[in-house]
Amino acid sequence: MSPNYIRSFSEGCLRPPTVIGQFHTLFFGSIRMFFLGVLGFAVYGNEALHFSCDPDKREVNLFCYNQFRPITPQVFWALQLVIVLVPGAFFHLYAACKSIKQEDILQNSSYTGFYIFSVFLRIVLEVVSFWLQIQLFGFKVNAIYMCDVGALEKTFNITRCMVPEHFEKTIFLIAMYTFTVITVILCVAEIFEISCRRLGFLKTQ
């Protein structure tokens, strides 16, 4: 791929053809990623080390933590951010290869339809991620986790585990849910903006 294609691709990703799309890029690329990268590490970085069960043995702690966290929240949210970016990145790669200018996307019906489809895919992926997050993490992190350790062939089957900083994690969960909802709203608003521009209610840039 030539440098011109790379430059066009990067400009397309950073400056989508709609005002709301540009705001979505700012929100998604700066606020959401900063929140996850900086605060997420602070909240979840040492969770496995501070997760303790009764009896406080390494094998029990490790077994129960893997049961408590089938996937760590940081990994899940990082995968979510990457996957949600794929439809838009694919469209802008296509636009760069076809030498399509950003201002021409809303002028051509086929380009507009392709772009709307990429935005719709972002909505679907965000909704699926929202549902998966509910299944994996719920809406609240409890201070005590009851772990089933029967597979370890112990004399006991259920043990109590202490979850560190559970209140902070609950707040972080709510924040990530909120970010997902805001992103979906922005995507819906972007489709609405494109429709208004195509119908002549808004002046095309």
Side-chain angles (χ1 to χ4, degrees):
M1 184 176 290
S2 69
N4 289 334
Y5 288 155
I6 297 175
R7 183 168 54 253
S8 298
F9 171 71
S10 61
E11 289 177 356
C13 291
L14 295 175
R15 296 187 67 256
T18 63
V19 175
I20 295 178
Q22 294 173 16
F23 181 77
H24 171 269
T25 300
L26 174 65
F27 174 81
F28 195 94
S30 57
I31 300 176
R32 195 173 178 182
M33 289 186 177
F34 175 83
F35 192 88
L36 175 59
V38 177
L39 298 183
F41 179 80
V43 173
Y44 291 96
N46 297 320
E47 183 183 49
L49 296 177
H50 298 152
F51 187 88
S52 61
C53 302
D54 183 23
D56 190 9
K57 296 182 179 179
R58 185 177 183 277
E59 61 175 353
V60 175
N61 293 342
L62 182 60
F63 179 85
C64 290
Y65 183 74
N66 289 336
Q67 187 180 121
F68 175 64
R69 293 288 191 213
I71 180 173
T72 58
Q74 307 102 300
V75 172
F76 175 83
W77 289 320
L79 287 174
Q80 176 186 359
L81 293 181
V82 171
I83 291 173
V84 169
L85 287 174
V86 168
F90 183 80
F91 172 82
H92 293 300
L93 180 63
Y94 168 80
C97 293
K98 294 292 185 179
S99 300
I100 303 171
K101 297 181 179 179
Q102 291 298 302
E103 55 269 20
D104 295 335
I105 293 175
L106 300 184
Q107 302 294 330
N108 185 291
S109 298
S110 60
Y111 299 158
T112 303
F114 191 7
Y115 183 76
I116 290 178
F117 180 71
S118 71
V119 176
F120 179 75
L121 278 182
R122 290 206 309 257
I123 296 174
V124 172
L125 292 172
E126 288 282 12
V127 172
V128 171
S129 298
F130 190 91
W131 179 81
L132 286 175
Q133 183 176 334
I134 294 174
Q135 302 302 310
L136 290 170
F137 311 124
F139 290 96
K140 181 181 179 182
V141 179
N142 296 317
I144 303 295
Y145 174 71
M146 305 305 294
C147 175
D148 182 1
V149 292
L152 291 177
E153 299 182 356
K154 299 294 182 180
T155 56
F156 49 87
N157 290 327
I158 303 296
T159 185
R160 290 161 54 92
C161 300
M162 300 293 295
V163 181
E165 302 171 343
H166 62 95
F167 184 68
E168 289 184 8
K169 292 179 174 64
T170 299
I171 294 176
F172 203 90
L173 274 177
I174 295 173
M176 295 307 292
Y177 281 122
T178 303
F179 286 150
T180 301
V181 171
I182 292 175
T183 303
V184 171
I185 292 174
L186 288 175
C187 290
V188 173
E190 185 174 9
I191 294 176
F192 181 76
E193 179 188 347
I194 294 172
S195 300
C196 289
R197 290 186 184 279
R198 292 292 298 178
L199 294 174
F201 296 118
L202 292 175
K203 185 178 180 181
T204 303
Q205 292 178 317

